[in-house]
Amino acid sequence: MSSVVLSGDSSGTVTLTVPSAAGTNTATLPAATGTVMVSGNQPAFSAYVNSAQTISNSVYTKIQLNAETFDTASCFDSTTNYRFTPTVAGYYQINANIYIADASVTGYIISSLYKNGSPYKYSVGYYNSTYGNGGAPISDVVYMNGSTDYIEYYVRQTNNGSSSLAISATSQGTYMSGSMVRAA
């Protein structure tokens, strides 16, 4: 594969014109060495639970994010492993939330992002029967190597005395989303 080397003048502006293309296209490049990312190769996704799932008391349960709002690079598995495995190395903003649909009990909920099968980050929320449902959002920027690294969403509920707890099966309540914020 060939490389294109651009040398700027004292103004810092370089225009690259591609022959045989309709219209005018301008790309602004940073004054730095490295990979230039364009929107077409920056993976992003939004997935949610669209069918009933319950989580057991005092056990981490993987959330079965079985529906997608979007998945720009087909990096989210919504049928088998319910995980995000980006194909471009870089830093990813990951967001997730659990929403408890069972307002008849009281307790704590722990949201956890798992990276490569191990706990990575935690967040704790509270739900109770007095104020209705509750949630536990979590968010972090995570480095992913673009080949084998993956992120999953696990939840643990505790202190409610119940063996299982229903979660919200909607795109607004229980979800995980992510997008690349910077190349490696």
Side-chain angles (χ1 to χ4, degrees), residues 57 100-108 126-134 157-166:
N57 191 36
I100 303 304
D102 189 347
S104 64
V105 294
T106 299
Y108 292 93
Y126 181 73
Y127 58 93
N128 65 53
S129 56
T130 303
Y131 298 107
N133 304 335
Q157 58 101 351
T158 184
N159 295 332
N160 71 13
S162 175
S163 61
S164 64
L165 190 62

Side-chain angles (χ1 to χ4, degrees), residues 47-56 59-67 76-78 80-84 96-100 109-112 114 136 151-157 165-170 173-176:
Y48 61 96
V49 174
N50 77 347
S51 57
Q53 182 180 355
T54 57
I55 52 177
S56 298
V59 175
Y60 280 97
T61 303
K62 184 192 292 192
I63 301 304
Q64 296 176 2
L65 301 156
N66 56 359
F76 189 83
D77 176 359
S78 61
T80 308
N81 294 312
Y82 314 108
R83 67 175 60 155
F84 176 57
N97 186 59
I98 188 77
Y99 189 69
I100 303 304
I109 192 91
I110 301 170
S111 282
S112 182
Y114 273 48
I151 290 287
E152 300 166 303
Y153 184 36
Y154 279 77
V155 171
R156 177 181 176 175
Q157 58 101 351
L165 190 62
I167 62 173
S168 172
T170 66
T174 301
Y175 59 85
M176 184 169 72

Side-chain angles (χ1 to χ4, degrees), residues 28-50:
T28 303
L29 303 174
T33 300
T35 303
V36 176
M37 302 301 295
V38 295
S39 63
N41 65 347
Q42 293 177 304
F45 76 98
S46 180
Y48 61 96
V49 174
N50 77 347

Side-chain angles (χ1 to χ4, degrees), residues 43-48 67-73 76 176-179:
F45 76 98
S46 180
Y48 61 96
E68 298 174 10
T69 305
F70 62 87
D71 184 4
T72 64
F76 189 83
M176 184 169 72
S177 63
S179 63

